[in-house]
Amino acid sequence: MQLMAKPDRTFGLIVGIEKYHETTWNVMGGGPADDALKFAHWLHRHGVPKENIRLCLSALEENHQLIGECGLNVELATEQNISEIVTNFLSPKSGDLLYIFWAGHGLITSERERRLLCADANKQNWQNLDLNSLLVLLGSDNFQIRNHICIIDACANYVLESKGRPTNLGGKAFLSGQPHKDSQQFVLLATREGEQAKVNYEAKTGYFSQAVREALAEANGTFPPNMKVIYEAVKQRLTSLDKKQQPTYLYYRSWNGDIEKFYLKPFDIPHNIQHSQARKFVGRDEQIEQLRQLLQENDVVAITDVTGQGGVGKTELAIQYSWQFLKDYPGGCCWLNPQGTNIRTQVVDFAILNLPNFSIPYGLSRANRLNYCWQNWQTDQVLLVFDDVKDWKQIQAYLPPRGSQFKVLITTRQNTGLIYPSLELGALSADAALKLLTNLLPKDWVERELEFANKLCKFVGYIPIGIYQIAAQCRERGRGSC
C-alpha cells in the first residue's frame, strides 16, 4: 500500500500504556511508553509538526524521565482523553494521512471484537476502546482525514469470564457516518486472534514494536512507507524470533465493492485446526517450506514417517503449516480425524457450522451429501487435513474432485505404496534435538551437562517424542538429574 501524503498534512495519535489503574496489569519494567515515544519521534523526524501529534502515555514511575526528556506535549492515556482526541480534535481536521500507534494491553471479546484497554481500566470498570468501531469511524464522512495507517501492538487473546472478565465489556464505541468511497486504511496488528503480543523485558520494548521500528528504518526515509513492504519485514523478523505471535493486517480501499476491497484477517477464515501440543517447535523450517511447495504443485500431499514408529512430529508439522499459511486458504481449513466420526459427517458438519448460508437440501441421500459439499463450497482455496491415516485407501472415497479449489494434506505412518507425493519426516538433526531439549529443561542445566544432554538426544534417536519423554522424566526426578 503506497499513499501520497505531505508531512505537514499528516497527523498522529500515539498511545503507550504500561501502567494501569489495575496495578496487577502493569507491564513489568515498562516498554510501551518508550515504544510510543520512539514512534512519535519517528513521525516528527519525517516532518510531521509537533502540534499534529497527540501523545497519550501512562508510564511506570521508573520511566517518568522519558516523558520529561521527550520534548513533546504528553497527555494521560485515559479512555476519555483518547476518545475526545479522536472525536473533537482529529475528526474535523483536513489532512492527507492519520497514523495511529498503540502499545498496551488488548483482548478479544466473546463477540470476537478487538478491544484496547486504557490506562484507567480496572477489573470493575474495563475502560477500553472498540477498535472495530474506531476503524469504521475513520473511514466514514464523520472523519475528514481520508487515509489511515494503524499500528497496534496489543494482545488479542481471550480473557475468560471465569477469570473476571464481564460478558459485556462496554467501552467506547464510536459513531460513524456514511462510508467514504476514496478512503484507504491499513491496519497492522501485532497478533492474530487468540495470541499474545510478547514483550522483550530486558530491552524494555515490544518485539512487534521493535520489528516495526527496524522495518521503518530500512524504508530509507520514504514517507509514508509502503505498508505491505513493512508488514513482510515485520513478519520475517517475528518469525525468526519464534515468539508464537504472527502479525496480520487489514487493508481497505473503500467500502464500495465495485472498486477494490482487500481484506486479510486469517482468524476470520473458518477452521478447526488442532491446537499445538508442542512447547517448542524447532528444526522443521525447511520441511515447512517443502510442504508449502508440494501443496502448491499438487492436489494431494502426504506427510509420512521414515521410521515407521511414530513420534517424529507429523501431526505437529501439519498443525504448524496450517496456522502459518491459513491466509492462503480463505475457503477454510477443515481438520478431519479418520479414526473418529464418519468422515462424511465431519465434512458436512464443518460446512454447515462454518460456511455462510450453507445447508444440505432436505431429502438428499447420505451418499450424495459429500458431493453436495464439494460442489457448493465457497469458491476460495480450501485445505483439508486427514490426520493419522492408518490406511490411505480407506479415505480415497472421501477425497474432493481433482483440479478443484481443494488441497488435501494427509499424515500417515505409511511410507510405502502411496500414490501421492509425500514429505518424508524422520529424526531431527542433532543440533535441533539439543535445542528442543534446551527449551524443555532448565537452560543452565543443559549448558552445564552439555555432553550428557547430547547423549540423551542420541539415546532417543533424535526423535521429538523421545526428547519430550526424556525431558519429562528429568523434571519428575528434579532439576539437574536424569
Side-chain angles (χ1 to χ4, degrees), residues 56-316:
C56 298
L57 299 180
S58 179
L60 298 173
E61 281 75 6
E62 61 261 38
N63 296 329
H64 276 180
Q65 78 281 359
L66 297 172
I67 297 176
E69 298 167 356
C70 74
L72 295 169
N73 182 41
V74 176
E75 304 167 72
L76 293 176
T78 62
E79 180 193 288
Q80 182 176 350
N81 273 0
I82 296 170
S83 59
E84 285 186 355
I85 289 171
V86 172
T87 55
N88 298 330
F89 175 75
L90 290 172
S91 289
K93 294 292 184 183
S94 175
D96 296 336
L97 176 62
L98 168 66
Y99 273 98
I100 293 180
F101 177 88
W102 189 292
H105 290 320
L107 53 83
I108 296 289
T109 71
S110 54
E111 295 81 24
R112 296 183 66 185
E113 298 170 339
R114 288 184 185 249
R115 299 296 182 89
L116 304 175
L117 297 182
C118 301
D120 48 342
N122 58 55
K123 291 181 180 178
Q124 287 70 46
N125 192 348
W126 292 65
Q127 302 279 40
N128 67 88
L129 298 187
D130 182 337
L131 178 60
N132 295 16
S133 73
L134 174 59
L135 297 178
V136 173
L137 165 65
L138 299 184
S140 76
D141 59 8
N142 280 357
F143 204 85
Q144 301 309 308
I145 305 172
R146 297 296 180 88
N147 303 308
H148 326 107
I149 294 175
C150 304
I151 300 172
I152 310 296
D153 192 353
C155 295
N157 55 314
Y158 299 96
V159 179
L160 301 179
E161 281 75 8
S162 61
K163 295 183 179 180
R165 188 196 76 176
T167 304
N168 181 3
L169 280 171
K172 176 62 179 179
F174 296 90
L175 298 177
S176 66
Q178 295 298 315
H180 274 309
K181 293 186 177 181
D182 58 350
S183 174
Q184 293 195 68
Q185 192 173 93
F186 191 101
V187 186
L188 180 57
L189 303 162
T191 64
R192 298 177 299 190
E193 188 175 307
E195 297 177 337
Q196 290 185 329
K198 304 295 195 305
V199 175
N200 183 339
Y201 293 105
E202 293 182 3
K204 294 186 177 182
T205 183
Y207 284 104
F208 171 80
S209 291
Q210 183 175 358
V212 168
R213 287 196 299 272
E214 293 170 355
L216 291 173
E218 290 180 357
N220 298 321
T222 303
F223 186 87
N226 186 312
M227 287 307 296
K228 286 187 179 178
V229 174
I230 297 297
Y231 161 73
E232 291 296 338
V234 170
K235 178 182 176 182
Q236 183 177 1
R237 282 170 168 78
L238 287 181
T239 299
S240 68
L241 291 172
D242 193 22
K243 294 299 174 183
K244 294 192 181 301
Q245 73 177 83
Q246 181 70 54
T248 187
Y249 67 89
L250 303 93
Y251 171 40
Y252 295 107
R253 184 179 176 182
S254 92
W255 275 257
N256 184 337
D258 294 331
I259 303 177
E260 176 187 352
K261 177 180 176 181
F262 178 68
Y263 180 47
L264 173 59
K265 190 178 180 185
F267 273 68
D268 278 350
I269 297 172
H271 69 85
N272 60 344
I273 304 171
Q274 293 187 18
H275 288 287
S276 171
Q277 300 301 312
R279 286 183 56 188
K280 188 73 174 179
F281 185 71
V282 300
R284 299 299 195 194
D285 291 343
E286 183 178 345
Q287 285 82 359
I288 286 275
E289 187 54 41
Q290 290 174 351
L291 185 57
R292 186 184 193 188
Q293 187 67 34
L294 282 170
L295 281 164
Q296 287 177 343
E297 297 172 353
N298 302 277
D299 290 334
V300 183
V301 173
I303 303 175
T304 61
D305 182 353
V306 171
T307 71
Q309 300 175 2
V312 296
K314 302 180 300 298
T315 294
E316 188 60 38

Side-chain angles (χ1 to χ4, degrees), residues 5-11 46-49 52 96 223:
K6 296 179 179 179
D8 63 346
R9 288 179 53 81
T10 297
F11 293 81
H46 285 80
V48 179
N52 286 11
D96 296 336
F223 186 87

